Amino acid sequence: MGSFFSTQSDENEYPDYDYVPPHEILVTPSQIEEIVTDLADRVSGNYAESNGLVLVCVLKGAVPFMTDLSRKIEVAHEVRYITAKSYLGTESTGTVDVKYTEPLNVAGKDVIIVDDIVDTGLTLKTLVQKIKDEENPRSVACCTLLEKGKHDDKVYVEYVGISIEDKFVFGYGLDVDEKYRHLPYIAAMVDGDDSSDSSDSSDSD
Ligand code: IMP
Ligand code: MG
């Protein structure tokens, strides 16, 4: 029996989100559940001997993923949050704006940076470099739910949930101009309407 907060569900259990523009579901809630369980098992195995594992969640998109992942990891760990923004609407700006929400305090610890998706790899590359340069951690690894696969030369992502086609996606934390983060699945707009009304304003993170 799935708990109230679990993403595990029958694929038809979520509402009909008819206020969201026409979209296709790329990764279902039950697939997400399976992927997160698998990643958590790998992390639990690889960090069984760690003297201090810290998950660093990249706000805001990685929040549901990091929360589910953390609850499934079976070794002691702490969590931190950091903000990184690189998108304007559905386009990468080519620069990453990083903000600390709190001191990371990860000196001597094993860090896993947890993000929703790796695309060009610029966000994770920037965060890995910054944490290595400024925090003196024992190790730094990366974990993402999704990858689009263009990041080969930029950053190594040890823990990847699933590779997806090169479309702008949303749901399960990922937004289109701050909307649709609450959807329990990963989706993309259909009919070539993947920019929605987002060619303008806010940053996606
Ligand atoms: P990268 O720096 O090019 O690897 O892009 C990674 C960051 O951009 C992620 O942390 C996301 O916040 C954002 N991003 C990339 N692709 C998407 C997408 O398809 N939907 C929503 N956000 C995205
Ligand atoms: Mg982000």
Side-chain angles (χ1 to χ4, degrees), residues 86-87 115-123 148 167-169 174-175 204-205:
S86 62
Y87 265 58
D115 205 356
D116 45 14
I117 186 167
V118 56
D119 183 9
T120 66
L122 186 65
T123 301
K148 287 186 188 169
K167 290 182 171 177
F168 191 83
V169 294
L174 294 99
D175 68 310
S204 180
D205 52 18

